[in-house]
Structures are given as C-alpha cells and as structure tokens.
Amino acid sequence: MNVLELYIWIGMTIFVLIMILLGYLGGRGTKNIDDFAIGGGQLGPVLLGLGFAATYLSAAVFLGYPGWSYEWGYANLWLMLAIFGGGPIGALLVAKRVRKINTKQKSLSLPDWLGDYYNSDILRVGTALLLLFNIFYIAAQFVAGARVFEFTMGLSYHTALTLIAAIVIVYVFIGGTLADLYTDAVQIIMMTLAGIIIFISGIVHFWEGSITNTFEVITENLNAQNPNLVGIFNPESPYFDSISAVIGAILIQAAFAATAPQLFNKVLGLKNEKDIGKMILVYVLVMFCCVVTLFGGIYSRAAFGDNIEVSDMALIEYIIQFFPTIISAFMLIVILAAALSTTDGLFVSISTVFANDIFLKVFVRRNIIKINDKKAQQIAIRISRLAVLAIGIVSYLIVLNPPKYMGDLLWIGVSGIAAGTVGPVLYAIFGKKKPSPRAAELSMIIGLASYFILYFGKIEKSTMAAGAWATLIGIAVMFILAKYFKQPQLEIPSQKDAI
C-alpha cells in the first residue's frame, strides 16, 4: 500500500463514519413518512440550499463532465452556461409557486404533488413509475465512486462498485431525507473547496506571467493536438456541436432543476415559502464554485494529450500527477462525496414513490388496503427502506459492465423524467384554471414517447438535446390539450398573487 492509498483509506474511513453518524442522527428524527420524504416540511433555506446544490451537482461534475472537456475541449464549457444559467432559471420558475400550492396539498413528492393537483391517480402512478428512470442516474454515481476506488486503490471494478453501493444504501436506509440533508451539507462544502482549488491549480501549473498568457499557452497546446478542441463548437461532440445543441442543453438543465424529484423534494421540505430566494441564492453561489471543475478536463488534456484511455478518469489523473499526496487524497474523497451527495437524494425520492405515492395515496386512501393511519405509516416507512435496498441492487446490476461515459447514463434518467413531467408542472404554475386530468396524463405519455423516439430511435444523438425537444413537445401538448379537455374549476391564484 502506497502513501496515497493509505491516506485515502484513512480519509474514507473517517468520512464514512461521519456519514453513518449523520444518518443515525437523521434516523432519530424520522418518525413517519413525512419525515423520511421531506424532513417534515420544517427545514431552513441554508440547509436546503446546500442540499439542493449537492444533489444537483453529482459526481459528473468531477468525473463525467471534466471527461467531456478532456475529450472535446473548450466547446464543453457551454455546459457551464447550461448548468449555471438553466438550473437557476428552472428553480426560480417553479419553486415558489410549487411551495405555495403545497401549503394546502401537503404532498411529499413530485408524483404526489401532480396527482393531488390534477386529482389523478393515473398521473400519480404514471409519474411515480416514470421516476424509475432515475435508477440510471444512481447507477452513474455508483460508476463514479467505483472508478475512484479502482483507479487509486487497486481494487477491482466490481469490488469497488460493491463497496460504494453498500455505503450509500446503509446511511439512507437509516435516515431518509434528514440523513440526506445533513450529509449533503458536509459534502457540498468539500465539493466547493475542491472546485476552487482545481480551477486555480491549472493557472498555477501552466503559469506564463499572466492569466491571459497562461490560457493562450493552454489554447495553443490544445490546437496543436486537434483544432476542434479550441472551437466554439466541436463537431466531434454529441452535445455541443451546434447552437441548437447548446439551447437543448440549457433547456434540459432548466427542466432538471424544475422537476427532478430529488430536487423537488427539497422545495417541498422548506418551512417558509418566503425563504425560497435565500435557498436559491445559497444554491447558486456554491454551484458556481463547483462547476469550474470543467476546466480540470482541459488542463488534463493540455498536460497529457490524448494518452488517457478512459475520459472519465482525466481529472483524477491530473489530480494525482500535480497535487501533493495529501491534497490528492482529499480531492479523491471529495469526488466520492459528490457521488454520495446525489445518490442519497435519489434513493429517498424513488423510495417515497413506493411508500407514499403508491401505497398510501392509492392503496390505503382508496381503501384497497384497509388499515388504520398509524399502521399505514409504519408500513410506509418499512416500504421506503426496503425500496432503498431494491433500488440499490437494481442500480448495481445495471453497471456491472460500466458505460463508456457516465454522463450519458446520467442524462438518460434526467431526460426521460423531464419529458413526461415538465408540461403538467408548468401548467399548474402558469395556468389560470385546472384542466381535465386527461390533458396532464396525455402530456406525460406523449412527452415520454417523444423522448424514446428521438433518442433511442437515433434521430437526435445528444441525450440532453433529445430530452429538451421531447420536453418542449410535452409542454406544447399540455397547453394545447388544456383548452380542449376542460374541467370547471374556480380560478387558482395567479403567478402574480404567488409573489
């Protein structure tokens, strides 16, 4: 065992023990399914803002996205605009209104919220099943954690995959959302510090008297390797080869922030709707400090050329080669923390689907299963925790053979959910009257079908762009059909009233 491996084992042991302790503390505060799903709806803006950022910014920010920068150069920096621009726009569009509506609905998740708003169990269960797409997202995070262990500690990929899956499953099983948020706060602080260090490190390493000269030297290096690496768009990239692809990336990032179930739960957990602005401000500030890691992939390409076989490992290789051993160990632990910070929120959101959205809101409320409320809550908690185990196993099996790019796997999950849910969510926010549930149900079905046709039918090669266009189709279907499938209702508060 070399010094780096020793430091990582020591650091990871301390980190995992802290995570399990926080999971235990979260578990002590988890008495019912409300606590497990949204922390009882009594959480503050700083904790939720940190949690929102940690969940939004997965290990892809440290592995997959820098890997794209390594592979495709400056064109991938459009992703920074998409994340930093699209994400906050999506959050601002929906967060306040969603929270206001939920003061009456008391919903616990995205499917629950949509099912309650449109009074449709078809929409509730359909959206719940749609969220199973996020198993791909979880699988991508497992790949990230496994890659770190494999690359730095000499473990086999399958051993590393088993280890990272076990760590996450244990502390989410114990604590639910409270464990998720406590651990997210620790993880995002680490990620923020790491992002700043990585960005500055490249400037220091390639320093040529000024920042301008330094980036000129980096640009000349990349251009000598492949002129496409320094282009505004890169024809070799499936994501940023044209302006339409960039627009698609921005749109899907906004849709992700607006309707991703693990982020939606954070909004529902906020105690006071007036604190939405503070929550988003915290999220934006820490997010900016993290996404500059995309430059790490560019630094790696400038330093190593095209000699790194697995693009996802470009930043790790850069860290190991150019940082002191103890700093390298810290950075690698941060990457693992990034994987955990997203995965735990996904586990909670999907397990809530089975416990609340299907069991409580359909089987119990419809008297398909006849039990008292106390017994129902006990069973719901048990279902949510068993679901964590089942989701973990399925996600593990999906990536027994790892994908070429973890980012591709991640965006399959995001795009499928956005295509089926953004239309009904936006209409709930901006529509003056509730339509028939049929409009929302058809929007969900047609949006999802459009994504399958566009991406899996190979009409659109970019996962993000396919998701964006399918999302726009779902929105259009929702607003058009709302005019034809009308349901007499009193007017709901307008967007102006909600502010």
Side-chain angles (χ1 to χ4, degrees), residues 44-60:
V46 174
L47 182 62
L48 280 171
L50 293 173
F52 198 97
T55 303
Y56 188 101
L57 300 171
S58 69

mmCIF file of all heavy atoms in Angstrom, residues 44-60:
data_model
loop_
_atom_site.group_PDB
_atom_site.id
_atom_site.type_symbol
_atom_site.label_atom_id
_atom_site.label_comp_id
_atom_site.label_asym_id
_atom_site.label_seq_id
_atom_site.Cartn_x
_atom_site.Cartn_y
_atom_site.Cartn_z
ATOM 1 N N GLY A 44 -34.803 24.654 6.953
ATOM 2 C CA GLY A 44 -34.416 26.026 6.685
ATOM 3 C C GLY A 44 -33.762 26.216 5.325
ATOM 4 O O GLY A 44 -33.324 25.255 4.682
ATOM 5 N N PRO A 45 -33.645 27.493 4.849
ATOM 6 C CA PRO A 45 -33.168 27.768 3.488
ATOM 7 C C PRO A 45 -31.684 27.475 3.265
ATOM 8 O O PRO A 45 -31.295 27.079 2.167
ATOM 9 C CB PRO A 45 -33.452 29.257 3.315
ATOM 10 C CG PRO A 45 -33.472 29.811 4.706
ATOM 11 C CD PRO A 45 -34.056 28.716 5.553
ATOM 12 N N VAL A 46 -30.844 27.667 4.275
ATOM 13 C CA VAL A 46 -29.406 27.431 4.086
ATOM 14 C C VAL A 46 -29.140 25.932 3.933
ATOM 15 O O VAL A 46 -28.456 25.499 3.003
ATOM 16 C CB VAL A 46 -28.585 28.012 5.256
ATOM 17 C CG1 VAL A 46 -27.109 27.622 5.114
ATOM 18 C CG2 VAL A 46 -28.731 29.520 5.309
ATOM 19 N N LEU A 47 -29.709 25.128 4.842
ATOM 20 C CA LEU A 47 -29.530 23.679 4.770
ATOM 21 C C LEU A 47 -30.088 23.130 3.465
ATOM 22 O O LEU A 47 -29.456 22.317 2.786
ATOM 23 C CB LEU A 47 -30.210 23.010 5.959
ATOM 24 C CG LEU A 47 -30.079 21.482 6.061
ATOM 25 C CD1 LEU A 47 -28.614 21.082 6.202
ATOM 26 C CD2 LEU A 47 -30.890 20.944 7.230
ATOM 27 N N LEU A 48 -31.272 23.614 3.064
ATOM 28 C CA LEU A 48 -31.879 23.126 1.828
ATOM 29 C C LEU A 48 -31.142 23.633 0.593
ATOM 30 O O LEU A 48 -31.037 22.927 -0.413
ATOM 31 C CB LEU A 48 -33.354 23.537 1.763
ATOM 32 C CG LEU A 48 -34.303 22.665 2.591
ATOM 33 C CD1 LEU A 48 -35.688 23.279 2.647
ATOM 34 C CD2 LEU A 48 -34.385 21.264 2.024
ATOM 35 N N GLY A 49 -30.612 24.873 0.649
ATOM 36 C CA GLY A 49 -29.835 25.399 -0.469
ATOM 37 C C GLY A 49 -28.571 24.585 -0.690
ATOM 38 O O GLY A 49 -28.215 24.259 -1.832
ATOM 39 N N LEU A 50 -27.897 24.236 0.402
ATOM 40 C CA LEU A 50 -26.719 23.380 0.308
ATOM 41 C C LEU A 50 -27.103 22.000 -0.227
ATOM 42 O O LEU A 50 -26.415 21.429 -1.080
ATOM 43 C CB LEU A 50 -26.045 23.247 1.676
ATOM 44 C CG LEU A 50 -25.399 24.510 2.252
ATOM 45 C CD1 LEU A 50 -24.933 24.262 3.678
ATOM 46 C CD2 LEU A 50 -24.220 24.958 1.394
ATOM 47 N N GLY A 51 -28.221 21.475 0.282
ATOM 48 C CA GLY A 51 -28.686 20.168 -0.165
ATOM 49 C C GLY A 51 -29.094 20.182 -1.629
ATOM 50 O O GLY A 51 -28.831 19.233 -2.368
ATOM 51 N N PHE A 52 -29.735 21.272 -2.075
ATOM 52 C CA PHE A 52 -30.159 21.400 -3.473
ATOM 53 C C PHE A 52 -28.935 21.379 -4.384
ATOM 54 O O PHE A 52 -28.901 20.678 -5.395
ATOM 55 C CB PHE A 52 -30.924 22.721 -3.638
ATOM 56 C CG PHE A 52 -31.769 22.797 -4.886
ATOM 57 C CD1 PHE A 52 -33.126 22.518 -4.835
ATOM 58 C CD2 PHE A 52 -31.214 23.179 -6.098
ATOM 59 C CE1 PHE A 52 -33.918 22.597 -5.978
ATOM 60 C CE2 PHE A 52 -31.987 23.266 -7.247
ATOM 61 C CZ PHE A 52 -33.344 22.977 -7.180
ATOM 62 N N ALA A 53 -27.903 22.149 -4.011
ATOM 63 C CA ALA A 53 -26.678 22.194 -4.820
ATOM 64 C C ALA A 53 -25.966 20.852 -4.827
ATOM 65 O O ALA A 53 -25.505 20.381 -5.871
ATOM 66 C CB ALA A 53 -25.751 23.283 -4.283
ATOM 67 N N ALA A 54 -25.866 20.224 -3.655
ATOM 68 C CA ALA A 54 -25.159 18.944 -3.562
ATOM 69 C C ALA A 54 -25.853 17.880 -4.386
ATOM 70 O O ALA A 54 -25.202 17.051 -5.034
ATOM 71 C CB ALA A 54 -25.073 18.503 -2.096
ATOM 72 N N THR A 55 -27.178 17.894 -4.393
ATOM 73 C CA THR A 55 -27.938 16.902 -5.142
ATOM 74 C C THR A 55 -27.894 17.193 -6.636
ATOM 75 O O THR A 55 -27.797 16.290 -7.461
ATOM 76 C CB THR A 55 -29.397 16.873 -4.645
ATOM 77 O OG1 THR A 55 -29.396 16.609 -3.245
ATOM 78 C CG2 THR A 55 -30.196 15.792 -5.340
ATOM 79 N N TYR A 56 -27.956 18.479 -6.997
ATOM 80 C CA TYR A 56 -27.902 18.875 -8.406
ATOM 81 C C TYR A 56 -26.544 18.539 -9.007
ATOM 82 O O TYR A 56 -26.442 18.068 -10.137
ATOM 83 C CB TYR A 56 -28.153 20.385 -8.498
ATOM 84 C CG TYR A 56 -28.321 20.924 -9.907
ATOM 85 C CD1 TYR A 56 -29.583 21.201 -10.406
ATOM 86 C CD2 TYR A 56 -27.224 21.173 -10.721
ATOM 87 C CE1 TYR A 56 -29.751 21.706 -11.685
ATOM 88 C CE2 TYR A 56 -27.379 21.676 -12.002
ATOM 89 C CZ TYR A 56 -28.637 21.941 -12.471
ATOM 90 O OH TYR A 56 -28.798 22.440 -13.747
ATOM 91 N N LEU A 57 -25.486 18.785 -8.233
ATOM 92 C CA LEU A 57 -24.123 18.625 -8.744
ATOM 93 C C LEU A 57 -23.579 17.262 -8.339
ATOM 94 O O LEU A 57 -22.986 17.100 -7.287
ATOM 95 C CB LEU A 57 -23.230 19.737 -8.207
ATOM 96 C CG LEU A 57 -23.678 21.155 -8.579
ATOM 97 C CD1 LEU A 57 -22.857 22.178 -7.820
ATOM 98 C CD2 LEU A 57 -23.564 21.382 -10.076
ATOM 99 N N SER A 58 -23.767 16.296 -9.188
ATOM 100 C CA SER A 58 -23.363 14.933 -8.879
ATOM 101 C C SER A 58 -21.875 14.742 -9.153
ATOM 102 O O SER A 58 -21.152 15.678 -9.496
ATOM 103 C CB SER A 58 -24.160 13.958 -9.740
ATOM 104 O OG SER A 58 -23.764 14.093 -11.098
ATOM 105 N N ALA A 59 -21.424 13.511 -9.047
ATOM 106 C CA ALA A 59 -20.028 13.185 -9.342
ATOM 107 C C ALA A 59 -19.684 13.468 -10.796
ATOM 108 O O ALA A 59 -18.504 13.532 -11.152
ATOM 109 C CB ALA A 59 -19.758 11.720 -9.007
ATOM 110 N N ALA A 60 -20.692 13.653 -11.640
ATOM 111 C CA ALA A 60 -20.419 14.012 -13.030
ATOM 112 C C ALA A 60 -19.628 15.309 -13.117
ATOM 113 O O ALA A 60 -18.866 15.517 -14.068
ATOM 114 C CB ALA A 60 -21.732 14.143 -13.804
#
